[in-house]
Amino acid sequence: MSDIHQGGAVATSAPPSSVDEGLAPGDLAAKYGLSVSGARPGLFEYVRQLWSRRHFIVAFSSAKLTAQYSQAKLGQVWQVATPLLNALVYYLIFGLILGAGRGMGKDVYIPFLVTGIFVFTFTQNSVMAGVRAISGNLGLVRALHFPRASLPVSFSLQQLQQLLFSMVVLVAVAMVSGSYPAMSWLLVVPALFLQFVFNVGIALIMARAGAKTPDLAQLMPFIMRTWMYASGVMFSIPVMLKDKPAWIADVLMYNPAAIYMDLVRFALIDGYGAENLPAHVWAVAAGWAVLFGAGGFVYFWKAEERYGRG
């Protein structure tokens, strides 16, 4: 026992319990059921926690989608108008002036272009949202304890919801161009599902990279623009590169953005046959989805305890 005299008062302090003497900090924490705040859970436990937040993920994505154009007079109309206006601009420049639709009639090229713009925008916006998923929501990350992967997954789901609004216009464009509903249209569902898994994976990768390097958000528009031009959004890759070495066209056609665009084009457009698709296209599409979906999830999970710190 020790006594401390100050102004006539006496304070008594007792030594630590002899039972806990000699215990290492880790053993002491385990004895009393203490755990490190913000520690990364195991991978399967992390998946379970993420699944338990599924209602938050859906509600958060819907709220972000509604708020996106809340200040505009036309409101949610811009969800469809923005990619449609982009398609119109690209048609004027590439379709009419540069003749990028060579080898295709207007009844094929117009839905070809619109499909490319809509589907690529799905991936582009998922990547851009992923870059800012952590760095742009630090207040939420630091205030609440939840699986941080909820944010990039939610933003990717938001972009999927926006694409589904745009699909109404895409279907209308296809029908006006002479492509009517058929059994092949059902292939759009697995194609977009695989693209969504791919988008979630790449959004998770970019979320971790953007959390550490916020300046990445300034660089990504240039990277995405290059990717767009290299993916055949506005033109047929084999036709444009017929005078170049064959391996160049193969590399561009097998990149994931081109794969998912061509699958949706094949499903919706009557005049866009299987001869326009690379070999084993569905296997490649599934491979990209699994590689980036699983790999991106593990890569993001590895840094779970570091998000929002420093």
Side-chain angles (χ1 to χ4, degrees), residues 14-308:
S17 172
S18 59
V19 179
D20 295 336
E21 287 183 4
L23 288 178
D27 296 332
L28 190 62
K31 176 181 177 180
Y32 291 100
L34 303 177
S35 61
V36 178
S37 177
R40 182 185 71 200
L43 182 59
F44 292 106
E45 173 61 18
Y46 191 69
V47 173
R48 188 196 67 78
Q49 291 181 9
L50 189 63
W51 175 251
S52 69
R53 303 303 198 284
R54 61 190 181 279
H55 301 298
F56 161 75
I57 293 172
V58 173
F60 188 72
S61 65
S62 299
K64 295 290 289 186
L65 183 63
T66 301
Q68 185 173 353
Y69 300 105
S70 60
Q71 301 301 317
K73 289 186 177 180
L74 294 180
Q76 304 305 311
V77 174
W78 287 109
Q79 293 180 14
V80 175
T82 299
L84 193 58
L85 289 173
N86 283 333
L88 177 60
V89 171
Y90 287 128
Y91 176 71
L92 292 175
I93 301 299
F94 290 92
L96 296 182
I97 298 177
L98 298 180
R102 66 191 66 169
M104 291 182 279
K106 285 186 178 181
D107 59 328
V108 174
Y109 182 68
I110 291 177
F112 172 94
L113 177 63
V114 174
T115 302
I117 295 295
F118 281 27
V119 175
F120 184 82
T121 299
F122 178 29
T123 292
Q124 176 179 261
N125 289 347
S126 297
V127 171
M128 296 304 301
V131 173
R132 301 184 179 91
I134 301 298
S135 60
N137 294 277
L138 286 178
L140 184 61
V141 170
R142 290 170 176 170
L144 300 175
H145 178 68
F146 63 95
R148 309 313 188 197
S150 301
L151 293 175
V153 172
S154 181
F155 287 128
S156 297
L157 183 59
Q158 174 192 347
Q159 299 309 321
L160 176 61
Q161 291 173 327
Q162 183 158 338
L163 175 66
L164 294 180
F165 280 109
S166 302
M167 288 297 291
V168 176
V169 175
L170 181 54
V171 167
V173 170
M175 293 180 65
V176 168
S177 300
S179 297
Y180 298 103
M183 292 299 294
S184 64
W185 283 32
L186 296 177
L187 294 175
V188 171
V189 176
L192 292 184
F193 172 76
L194 292 174
Q195 186 183 10
F196 174 68
V197 175
F198 169 81
N199 288 356
V200 169
I202 198 170
L204 288 164
I205 293 172
M206 299 312 300
R208 176 174 172 177
K212 185 178 181 181
T213 311
D215 287 349
L216 189 61
Q218 308 304 319
L219 178 63
M220 286 310 299
F222 301 99
I223 296 177
M224 296 307 300
R225 195 172 300 125
T226 302
W227 193 9
M228 179 181 69
Y229 290 132
S231 299
V233 175
M234 289 81 65
F235 54 84
S236 170
I237 293 175
V239 173
M240 281 294 180
L241 298 180
K242 62 182 179 180
D243 298 328
K244 305 295 181 182
W247 67 267
I248 299 178
D250 289 339
V251 168
L252 297 185
M253 289 180 68
Y254 278 102
N255 96 74
I259 288 289
Y260 297 124
M261 280 189 297
D262 279 342
L263 282 176
V264 178
R265 285 165 171 164
F266 170 72
L268 292 180
I269 305 172
D270 286 347
Y272 198 78
E275 66 277 3
N276 296 288
L277 303 178
H280 312 295
V281 61
W282 283 104
V284 175
W288 281 124
V290 172
L291 177 64
F292 276 83
F297 185 80
V298 172
Y299 177 75
F300 183 90
W301 162 76
K302 287 282 190 180
E304 174 73 11
E305 70 274 13
R306 298 202 295 270
Y307 299 128

